[in-house]
Every structure is written in structure tokens, then in C-alpha cells.
């Protein structure tokens, strides 16, 4: 049975950044396990630019961003097993055991002292939407459509309707337009867009692609191949407004209806999950409630920028180094982190530190706001504040703050 000090499950942007940071923080025995044939994760099919503005201070495509970290992993001679699926993880008397499989080695059992979960997220499927109709060809998630066009070079259809205004859906609206596919419209059930403002402008407005808010696909038509959809407007309770139905002929429906952190392994290991983020409950080192198991990237909460994903991997790696050195074994009593006024969720959800040290908080607001002040409050004192020109639910907000040893911490957002 092979043994390592640290195993990272997932070789996407979070896992790669975690591996590099772990080596920089003195961890020598590291292994990356990746289920795809190559490292890089979802970035490999994101051929558009806009990545790396925070991390590298320049605009890169997804593959370029991934390569920067892959090269650093290779230079550090960090081993990885690709095309390898992790099926189980267990803990026994402080030791952690991972069961994985691949074609070359069959079933593997690997012992490790610490684990960083970096499995990313998955798309919400059609089955979760309860849209009436048969199951015809031509209905794809946005990520699958992206892979077909960008990786496999295939044309999935000629006329497309997109349901959901998440970033992948917006980006695919532009990408398919450039490939000659007619985008007949983007429909969003919410009253505000689900993607970043820059993507609304660059991917829809610049190409005169219509966006309809408070609307949904009511029915899918076609048996063997999709022939069209019926769309309809929604009221404030997200109920269909009778009489607003409209039939749109199309041979392609793309679903960009949200991402879900990939946490089957976490659930199987008994790691508590946050009801808001759908990811593990984390402390300031991104350690879960099981000491020695950390989570980074979209497996913990769906980020909007890959730079934040990489940053979370670095935080988890520093936490793993502290755990392996004995500096932080997850034994200190924790203080709760509270999502205050206008805040939907905060990561981390608790603080274990006993001294006043900097903690990185990631949060999202509950509704669109203008001219906001983000505040970190403990025992009635504002420990840190940050003013921003606006706040929107799709956009992650980041703030660093010193935190004391005693008392719950509240993160709140106020309009100013």
C-alpha cells in the first residue's frame, strides 16, 4: 500500500494551485488524483479569454491559465495519476485511506495523512427542472455543449434556445454565434441575470442576443430530435403567466441552470455540508469538520472567478501544512461566522484561531445593491471594511480581516 503525506483529489485549478502551494509550504510527499485524461479540469475547454487578471495580472484563456500551474507542478516534480477515479475515502485512527481505480493499476488503496478535496462542481441536469416533454436528442447542458464545440469540434445544432443566464450559458451564446449557430434567445427564471455583468455585455449585448428575464421553457417539443420549445413569462412566485406562451422552433436547447459542488465523496466520508453553499462546512484554513481533510475550489462553493478558486487552493494547502506540522490539528474551539445583513453566505463558516490573525472571507449578496460597504464585525467592533461600487448575487466578494479569539464573527453588507 502506497502512502503519502498529502493527497489532492482533483487536478483542476484548485487542485493544481493547492499542489504548488503545498510544496512551497514544505510538504514533500504529495500525490494528485485526476479522473480526466489530463490535468487542468474544466479550464481545458474554456478557450475564451478573461482568466488570470488577479493571479497573473494579464488576460489568459482557460488552457493558458491551466498550463501556468501544470508547468509549475511538473517543475516541482509532483506526481499525479490521471484517468483515475476516486470511489471512496475513509478514516481510521487518524490515518486516511483512499480507494481509487484506473485501467492500468486496477483498484488502488492509498494511505495518507491529509487530503484536499478539489473535485469541482457539476451542472444541474434537465431531470432537476421537471420540464414536460419527451427526451429527444439536442438537449445539452452548457458544459457539454462547450466540450462538443471547443474540444471535439462538433456542431450540436443550427438554431438554439438557452435556458439560464449563468456564465457558461452566456459564454456559449457568444461561442455558438461565432460558429454560425443562431441563438434565438436566452431565458432566465430570475428577475436579474445569473452571470457576471461583463459577460452580459460581451456575450449578449455585443452580439444583439436577446435576454428575457422572469421567463422559462415550459415545454420541450419533439420525440426523436428536439423540434422546438414553448417559453413563457413568470410572475413574482415563478408561476407561469397564462397567455404569455410562445413557441420557438429550434433543434438545440442548452441548459445553463446552475452548478452544484461535487460532494458525493464528502457525504460518504461523513463530512457535514453547508445548506447554503452545498459544500463542506469549513474553518479559516478550509479544513472540514474531519481534521486533516480540507476542501478547495468549487467543491466548497461555486466561485465566479478562477483566481478565487486558485486562492482557495492555496489557503487549503497552507492549512494542510499547518496540520501536518502539528501547528493546527483542528482541536481548538470554534467561533461561528454569521451571514449578516444582505449576505447570502460566507466562507469560511467558522473560525478556530486563538490569536488575532488575518482571515480571508468569501461572500455573496442576496440581491443587487449599489454603493456598498462590506464589514466584518466581532463583539460590536468593525474589524475590517471595504467599499465597492455595487454588489450582485452572481459576483463573489472577497475581504481580508483580523479576527479575535472570542465571539462570533458577522459579515454584513450595507448600502452607503
Amino acid at each position: 500500500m502506497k502512502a503519502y503525506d498529502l493527497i489532492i483529489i482533483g487536478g483542476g485549478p484548485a487542485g493544481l494551485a493547492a499542489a504548488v502551494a503545498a510544496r512551497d509550504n514544505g510538504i514533500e510527499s504529495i500525490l494528485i488524483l485526476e479522473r480526466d485524461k489530463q490535468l487542468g479540469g474544466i479550464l481545458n475547454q474554456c478557450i475564451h479569454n478573461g482568466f488570470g487578471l488577479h493571479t497573473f495580472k494579464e488576460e489568459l484563456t482557460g488552457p493558458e491559465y491551466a498550463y501556468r500551474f501544470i508547468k509549475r507542478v511538473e517543475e516541482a516534480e509532483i506526481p499525479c495519476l490521471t484517468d483515475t477515479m476516486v470511489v471512496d475515502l475513509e478514516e481510521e485512527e487518524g490515518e486516511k485511506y483512499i480507494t481509487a481505480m484506473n485501467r492500468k493499476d486496477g483498484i488502488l488503496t492509498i494511505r495518507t495523512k491529509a487530503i484536499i478535496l478539489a473535485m469541482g462542481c457539476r451542472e444541474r441536469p434537465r431531470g432537476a427542472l421537471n420540464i414536460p416533454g419527451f427526451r429527444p436528442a439536442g438537449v445539452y447542458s452548457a458544459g457539454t455543449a462547450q466540450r462538443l464545440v471547443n474540444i471535439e469540434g462538433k456542431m450540436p445544432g443550427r438554431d438554439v434556445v438557452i435556458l439560464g443566464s449563468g456564465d457558461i450559458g452566456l459564454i456559449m451564446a457568444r461561442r455558438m454565434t461565432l460558429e454560425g449557430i443562431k441563438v434565438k434567445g436566452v431565458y432566465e427564471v430570475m428577475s436579474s441575470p445569473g452571470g457576471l455583468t461583463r459577460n452580459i455585455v460581451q456575450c449578449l449585448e455585443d452580439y444583439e442576443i436577446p435576454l428575457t428575464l422572469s421567463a422559462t421553457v415550459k415545454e420541450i417539443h419533439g420525440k426523436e430530435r428536439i423540434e422546438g420549445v414553448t417559453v413563457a413569462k413568470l410572475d413574482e412566485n415563478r408561476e407561469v403567466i397564462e397567455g404569455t406562451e410562445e413557441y420557438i422552433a429550434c433543434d438545440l436547447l442548452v441548459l445553463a441552470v446552475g452548478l452544484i459542488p461535487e460532494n458525493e465523496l464528502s457525504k460518504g466520508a461523513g463530512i457535514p455540508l453547508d445548506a447554503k453553499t452545498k459544500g463542506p462546512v469549513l474553518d479559516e484554513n478550509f479544513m472540514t469538520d474531519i481534521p486533516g481533510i480540507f476542501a478547495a475550489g468549487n467543491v466548497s462553493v461555486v466561485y465566479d472567478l478562477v483566481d478565487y478558486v486558485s486562492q482557495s487552493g492555496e489557503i487549503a494547502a497552507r492549512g494542510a501544512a499547518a496540520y501536518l506540522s502539528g501547528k493546527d490539528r483542528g482541536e481548538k474551539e470554534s467561533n461561528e461566522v454569521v451571514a449578516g445583513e444582505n449576505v447570502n453566505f460566507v466562507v469560511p463558516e467558522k473560525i478556530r484561531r486563538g490569536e488575532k490573525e488575518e482571515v480571508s472571507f468569501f461572500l455573496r449578496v442576496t440581491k443587487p445593491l449599489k454603493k456598498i460597504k462590506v464589514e466584518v464585525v466581532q463583539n460590536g467592533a468593525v474589524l475590517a471594511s471595504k467599499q465597492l461600487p455595487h454588489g450582485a448575487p452572481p459576483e463573489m466578494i472577497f475581504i481580508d480581516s483580523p479576527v479575535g479569539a472570542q465571539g462570533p464573527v458577522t459579515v454584513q453588507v450595507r448600502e452607503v
Side-chain angles (χ1 to χ4, degrees):
M1 182 187 298
K2 293 186 178 181
Y4 294 86
D5 289 337
L6 174 65
I7 289 181
I8 300 169
I9 305 175
L16 293 170
V20 172
R23 179 56 55 83
D24 290 343
N25 280 272
I27 304 176
E28 293 296 328
S29 179
I30 306 170
L31 175 66
I32 301 172
L33 299 175
E34 168 56 44
R35 65 183 176 186
D36 208 343
K37 295 180 180 180
Q38 59 188 4
L39 298 175
I42 195 68
L43 290 175
N44 291 323
Q45 66 186 54
C46 298
I47 63 174
H48 53 280
N49 59 8
F51 300 92
L53 292 171
H54 295 273
T55 304
F56 297 109
K57 309 303 180 187
E58 59 180 304
E59 196 171 38
L60 305 171
T61 65
E64 288 173 331
Y65 185 98
Y67 177 72
R68 297 278 180 103
F69 279 100
I70 293 171
K71 184 178 180 182
R72 293 171 67 182
V73 166
E74 293 173 345
E75 290 173 347
E77 298 182 347
I78 298 172
C80 62
L81 289 177
T82 56
D83 211 11
T84 300
M85 174 69 75
V86 175
V87 295
D88 189 36
L89 60 92
E90 299 177 346
E91 183 180 39
E92 184 177 331
E93 297 180 356
E95 291 287 352
K96 297 162 182 65
Y97 299 88
I98 288 177
T99 303
M101 61 175 65
N102 60 39
R103 292 182 179 181
K104 179 181 177 182
D105 304 302
I107 297 178
L108 301 167
T109 300
I110 311 169
R111 190 171 76 247
T112 183
K113 297 176 182 176
I115 297 171
I116 295 179
L117 306 173
M119 296 89 69
C121 57
R122 66 176 186 272
E123 294 179 277
R124 187 173 283 108
R126 177 193 169 181
L129 305 179
N130 297 320
I131 303 175
F134 291 99
R135 299 180 64 84
V139 181
Y140 296 100
S141 69
T144 301
Q146 186 181 59
R147 183 175 183 87
L148 285 172
V149 175
N150 292 349
I151 300 295
E152 300 181 22
K154 295 179 179 178
M155 184 81 82
R158 293 291 180 181
D159 297 282
V160 61
V161 169
I162 299 176
L163 177 59
S165 59
D167 288 312
I168 302 177
L170 300 175
I171 289 165
M172 282 310 297
R174 176 180 63 185
R175 185 74 181 96
M176 290 188 291
T177 297
L178 293 173
E179 289 298 329
I181 301 173
K182 175 63 177 178
V183 181
K184 296 209 166 175
V186 178
Y187 295 84
E188 169 60 52
V189 300
M190 303 297 287
S191 59
S192 60
L196 297 173
T197 301
R198 73 181 189 194
N199 286 332
I200 296 291
V201 174
Q202 296 174 4
C203 300
L204 297 188
E205 294 178 5
D206 287 356
Y207 292 86
E208 299 182 346
I209 297 172
L211 168 64
T212 304
L213 301 175
S214 298
T216 190
V217 171
K218 183 181 177 181
E219 187 175 356
I220 297 173
H221 303 279
K223 191 170 184 180
E224 300 301 324
R225 175 83 192 188
I226 183 172
E227 299 171 357
V229 296
T230 296
V231 299
K233 293 287 289 181
L234 301 175
D235 61 22
E236 60 272 12
N237 297 316
R238 298 186 204 171
E239 297 291 337
V240 171
I241 301 174
E242 297 299 330
T244 63
E245 293 89 348
E246 178 188 358
Y247 176 81
I248 301 175
C250 63
D251 62 355
L252 177 62
L253 173 63
V254 170
L255 305 175
V257 290
L259 302 170
I260 305 169
E262 189 76 69
N263 273 301
E264 277 63 36
L265 283 175
S266 310
K267 294 176 185 176
I271 298 171
L273 303 183
D274 185 304
K276 285 285 188 180
T277 66
K278 310 301 182 186
V281 174
L282 303 178
D283 69 5
E284 74 282 1
N285 288 328
F286 284 13
M287 181 156 48
T288 70
D289 277 3
I290 297 182
I293 300 182
F294 301 78
N298 289 343
V299 77
S300 57
V301 61
V302 178
Y303 292 88
D304 57 340
L305 299 180
V306 71
D307 307 83
Y308 289 158
V309 170
S310 298
Q311 185 178 349
S312 72
E314 293 167 358
I315 293 171
R318 291 194 295 268
Y323 174 83
L324 292 171
S325 68
K327 292 180 181 178
D328 181 7
R329 305 293 291 185
E331 297 167 346
K332 294 177 182 177
E333 186 176 344
S334 61
N335 294 325
E336 181 185 9
V337 178
V338 179
E341 181 182 3
N342 293 321
V343 175
N344 187 23
F345 65 77
V346 184
V347 176
E349 290 90 344
K350 57 186 178 181
I351 305 293
R352 282 200 179 101
R353 285 186 176 157
E355 303 293 337
K356 268 199 172 182
E357 298 181 39
E358 288 281 316
V359 174
S360 298
F361 293 98
F362 298 87
L363 61 133
R364 277 201 172 101
V365 296
T366 57
K367 59 185 178 181
L369 301 168
K370 293 182 178 179
K371 294 183 180 179
I372 61 172
K373 177 177 281 190
V374 185
E375 296 177 330
V376 180
V377 182
Q378 187 178 34
N379 300 323
V382 177
L383 305 180
S385 65
K386 182 178 185 178
Q387 285 199 217
L388 297 170
H390 71 279
E395 299 178 13
M396 190 76 77
I397 296 173
F398 167 77
I399 184 170
D400 281 333
S401 175
V403 174
Q406 299 297 323
V409 177
T410 299
V411 181
Q412 61 190 28
V413 174
R414 297 187 296 108
E415 284 190 302
V416 294

